[in-house]
Amino acid sequence: MFFKLAFQNVRRSLRDYTIYFLTLTFGVCIFYIFNSLDAQSKLLNIPTSQQRLIEVLVMVMDVLSVFVAVVLAFLILYANRFLMRRRKKELAIYLLLGMPKGKISGILLLETLVIGLFSLVVGLCLGVFLSQGLTVWVAQFFETKVEQFQFVFSAASLLKSILYFGIIFLLVMCFNTLSVSRCKLIDLMQAQHRNEVLKLRSLKLSVALFLLSLVSLGLAYRCILHNGMMALDREFWAAILLGSVGTVLFFLSLSGFLLRVVQSNKGLYYRNLNMFVLRQINSKINTAYLSMSVVCIMLLLTIGTFSTGFGFNQAIGDQVDNYAPYDLMWIVYPGEKEEDVDDYLQAVPIDTRYVSTMATCRFYSGSLQADLGDTRELYVVSQSDYNQVAAMEGEAPISLGAGEYLPITPVQGDTPLDQGIRWRGEPFQARIDLTPNASFSTLIAQMGGGRVVVLPDEEVQGLDLLNSGLYIYYQGDQRQAEAYFDGWLQQLRDYGIEGGYSMMTRMALYEGLMGQKLMVVFIGTYLGVVFLIASAAVLALQQLSEASDNQSRYALLRKLGVDEKMIGRAIDTQVGIYFLVPLGLAIVHSAVGLTVVNNLLTSFGESNFLASILGTAAILLVVYGGYFLATCLGCRNISRTWSSQ
């Protein structure tokens, strides 16, 4: 009998609170998908050097999943609290009929068990199905392909999902049992007719708190802009604390004097059902300001994680070209014998089957005498070496006459050398009509910057050699070429490299950057989705529960002659205020935070941060907007239930 009663209650709740069940199901689905990364990555032909990245990411996701489980636990407990409020009258009837509290708790335990099993099974089925697309997503990061598609099932992710959500639903059972044991019949009978006590009645106090919230938020913005998110120091934590306090005070004060402000405008206050809507919001003021503050902060985290992940994705993609203009760069510093790169190439020749084009270049140390009085060290490259490097890009060689030079200033902030210099006591004129090779400028920047000039070959004679470099573009299969040059470098070590050296390959840099990219994007997407779902679900469940509590009031409006269209607009307005106000403040918070993040990303390279923001806005529109529309429809249906009973 109890099982039958519990099952009927679940079926009725499933009809009235579809969003609750969908949120639980989607939470399980997301949890399974992101924890199945280890199993999905095994389908890919990922090099051994990159498999370590997957292992590290899996460990990070394990730790992160604990945090996500805590967030989802609070969400489910919060949702269950509203569902319990909606059913207080039902529980009161059970008590009036003489049912002991222990048996009522047993019914609730059975209901929670049925709900948990239903959500868990459906969520896992969706997760197993949708996780197959995770393989394609990971393959795009490593620019590899799935050689043969196989249906992948992650037993580890399944067990982890069952364990975590089993604990969550166990907490819900304990919460329901505690709620029943502490309830009183009189409270249950009058629950739907009670408004929360409005503590803020003084308009002056509300205005003072509003101004205090603006001051707190302003100080928080100033601290975070000055800190730049470069260190977790006192200024950073002060910004977090001031921002949180300012957010709570903003909604607390706003809810306190919003009614007074609108009441002062009689035309607005008495228009349509605005008076009813504002009274509805005012009646739940203590819950409203807390929930809206929490939702605002979660939306801030959502926007921040999504935008940062997408922006970092673009910036990292630009890093490869900015830091590795060639497939291979080998820089040699002279030892006692002053051997340069050509000497080593003669000792250990290169198999040209793996080379498309290559060039060598030497950098010399010179002393600059500029008209501006700047005598800093100058790096000098001969015209013939520069032309070798430029020829790799298919550019025509340059020709410098006597007393001419080509200035190259790759590092931002250095004084340009295009006004003429004095070299060895003689005036030299800059060839500003020539554009330096872009890859060569990038190469110099990666060598530490400084100011470089290209001089005729005869002007380089007698200068001290700083370093010599070998620059190569691969031919054929990139990974085979990479493996060959790893072996070639080992032969050089066996031969004996007298001075120091450094070697960088585009592929090695790319793999390292892709690891960072994968880490940031995965974490950002995982947390962003969870926070967004939690934010929208909290508001949706709150509004659905309030609509259920206010069924009699909607019925009274109908008796007074208010048509369905006007009631529907009033419901949409109330839901819109709850959804849009925290989103608006979260956007203001995000504008400040993303300004700092954008400054950080520019240090990695040029990134289309606007595209990241637009992508985030699109996700918010779909998910958050979808919850908003579903909540409006759900509240309208609930408001009509009373009249049909």
Side-chain angles (χ1 to χ4, degrees), residues 482-623:
E482 188 86 354
Y484 166 76
F485 279 104
D486 285 341
W488 175 77
L489 181 60
Q490 183 59 49
Q491 295 181 45
L492 283 173
R493 295 193 190 100
D494 296 338
Y495 169 77
I497 304 176
E498 192 175 273
Y501 72 92
S502 63
M503 184 173 179
M504 176 186 294
T505 65
R506 182 192 293 265
M507 185 169 295
L509 176 63
Y510 179 79
E511 290 176 354
L513 293 176
M514 286 306 101
Q516 300 177 31
K517 174 180 174 180
L518 186 66
M519 189 79 67
V520 172
V521 174
F522 256 70
I523 293 175
T525 304
Y526 192 18
L527 293 181
V529 170
V530 171
F531 286 139
L532 181 55
I533 295 298
S535 304
V538 165
L539 292 177
L541 291 166
Q542 182 188 51
Q543 291 306 296
L544 290 171
S545 297
E546 290 190 9
S548 179
D549 292 342
N550 296 322
Q551 284 178 323
S552 60
R553 297 175 183 176
Y554 293 121
L556 181 59
L557 289 177
R558 292 184 178 91
K559 291 179 180 180
L560 294 174
V562 180
D563 58 29
E564 290 293 336
K565 186 176 182 180
M566 186 173 291
I567 293 177
R569 285 201 301 265
I571 292 174
D572 295 344
T573 301
Q574 179 178 336
V575 175
I577 291 174
Y578 275 92
F579 271 77
L580 296 180
V581 172
L583 177 61
L585 184 59
I587 291 175
V588 175
H589 291 345
S590 302
V592 178
L594 293 181
T595 299
V596 178
V597 173
N598 189 35
N599 294 334
L600 290 175
L601 292 180
T602 53
S603 63
F604 290 96
E606 296 182 2
S607 62
N608 188 2
F609 205 62
L610 178 61
S612 303
I613 296 176
L614 293 178
T616 302
I619 295 175
L620 281 172
L621 181 63
V622 173
V623 179

